[in-house]
């Protein structure tokens, strides 16, 4: 494996991890938004606060990791993407900021009206952020980010591939969150809430799966390089994702929540991996390859050393944090 490819693999590993952990975090906004009124939805919102409260900021470690790896290891590709895709990236950033602020402010609201307002902002921003990040991925994968100069600020991402990418990103985030929340509710003895979440998550899973397969048709014409990769080298990952997604729905239907969490992770991880493998060897599809976009060899080697240190220092601490939050039961007064 070449040095640029090793750094690209480490970068994309961060994308996958952020899609899983940050995705489940973002997806909780849908269930918060549709929980119902203050009294009706209080039990579910308490569960959401318990599940994401200790870790919602920690998840953004992976976004920072991805951005630093990208601009340091592949600076020209990073600059091109930032200039062309400034609109969806700024909207995604706005969503992250609003989401964090409103999640904190809701806890300390002086009135019910303020709590409702911050709750709506939290839920809405939780959904727009993955949408715009998915739109960015679609723009890169469809070859609309030129290596030199600025591409269309609007036309680069208002396309079938980007729009489907945004919808699929939201759907997978909601599916992950639903599976995790259902398992948490069942583990804590809240059977009625678990059943309600189970039904809603099954519906989301069916719709998201349908959207994924429908999206393959316009992608054939809108992003031919990506489509060829998905039908070729990434085909096993696409099949595995379909099998894992179907298995997740079957396990949810049978109330096998613990195993469903594992298959849901596999389903989402293989979707993201399929995108990465499908567009290989391009950093910016049809514009610049991973090898051509790479920075200096000394810089790439330094990045790999940093990744190794992060594996030793950061990952165990995050794993322990998640272990604590996933084993502690919650109660609703």
């Amino acid at each position: 494996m070449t040095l640029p490819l090793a750094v690209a693999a480490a970068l994309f590993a961060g994308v996958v991890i952020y899609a899983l952990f940050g995705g489940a975090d973002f997806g909780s906004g849908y269930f918060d938004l549709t929980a119902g009124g203050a009294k009706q939805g209080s039990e579910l919102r308490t569960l959401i606060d318990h599940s994401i409260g200790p870790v919602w900021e920690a998840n953004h470690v992976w976004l920072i990791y991805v951005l630093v790896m990208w601009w340091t290891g592949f600076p020209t590709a990073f600059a091109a993407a930032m200039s062309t895709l400034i609109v969806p990236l700024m909207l995604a950033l706005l969503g992250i900021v609003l989401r964090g602020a409103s999640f904190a402010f809701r806890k300390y609201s002086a009135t019910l009206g303020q709590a409702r307002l911050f709750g709506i902002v939290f839920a809405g921003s939780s959904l727009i952020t993955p949408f715009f990040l998915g739109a960015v991925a679609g723009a890169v994968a469809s070859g609309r980010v030129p290596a030199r100069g600025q591409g269309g600020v609007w036309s680069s991402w208002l396309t079938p591939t980007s729009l489907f990418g945004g919808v699929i990103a939201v759907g997978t985030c909601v599916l992950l969150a639903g599976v995790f929340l259902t398992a948490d509710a069942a583990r804590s003895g809240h059977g009625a809430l678990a059943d309600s979440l189970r039904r809603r998550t099954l519906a989301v899973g069916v719709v998201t799966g349908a959207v994924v397969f429908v999206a393959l048709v316009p992608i054939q014409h809108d992003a031919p390089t990506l489509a060829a990769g998905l039908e070729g080298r990434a085909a096993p990952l696409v099949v595995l994702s379909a099998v894992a997604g179907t298995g997740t729905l079957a396990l949810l239907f049978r109330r096998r929540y613990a195993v469903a969490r594992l298959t849901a992770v596999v389903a989402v991880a293989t979707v993201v991996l399929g995108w990465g493998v499908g567009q290989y060897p391009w950093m910016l599809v049809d514009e610049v390859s991973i090898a051509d976009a790479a920075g200096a060899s000394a810089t790439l080697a330094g990045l790999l050393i940093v990744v190794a240190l992060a594996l030793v220092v950061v990952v165990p601490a995050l794993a322990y944090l998640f272990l604590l939050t996933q084993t502690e039961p919650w109660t609703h007064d």
Side-chain angles (χ1 to χ4, degrees), residues 134-172:
V136 167
V140 172
S142 59
R144 288 185 167 86
V145 179
R148 292 178 177 82
Q150 186 179 41
V153 174
W154 297 98
S155 61
S156 60
W157 63 279
L158 292 176
T159 65
T161 302
S162 287
L163 296 178
F164 270 109
V167 172
I168 291 169
V170 173
T172 53

Side-chain angles (χ1 to χ4, degrees), residues 23-24 29 32 34 43 47 62 76 80 107 119 161 171 188 198 230 237 244 251 260 284 287 290 298 300 305 319 329:
D32 192 293
T34 59
E43 184 181 21
L47 170 61
W62 302 112
T76 56
K107 292 178 178 292
T161 302
S188 300
R198 166 180 164 271
L230 292 175
L237 290 169
L251 289 164
L284 300 176
E287 290 288 334
I290 292 172
L300 299 180
I305 294 173

Side-chain angles (χ1 to χ4, degrees), residues 44 61 83 89 111 139 151-152 157 203 212 216 220-221 233 281 293 306 311:
L44 176 52
V61 166
S83 62
L89 285 167
T111 65
W157 63 279
V212 169
L216 295 176
Q220 292 278 350
H221 305 284
R233 69 177 69 89
V306 171
L311 288 174

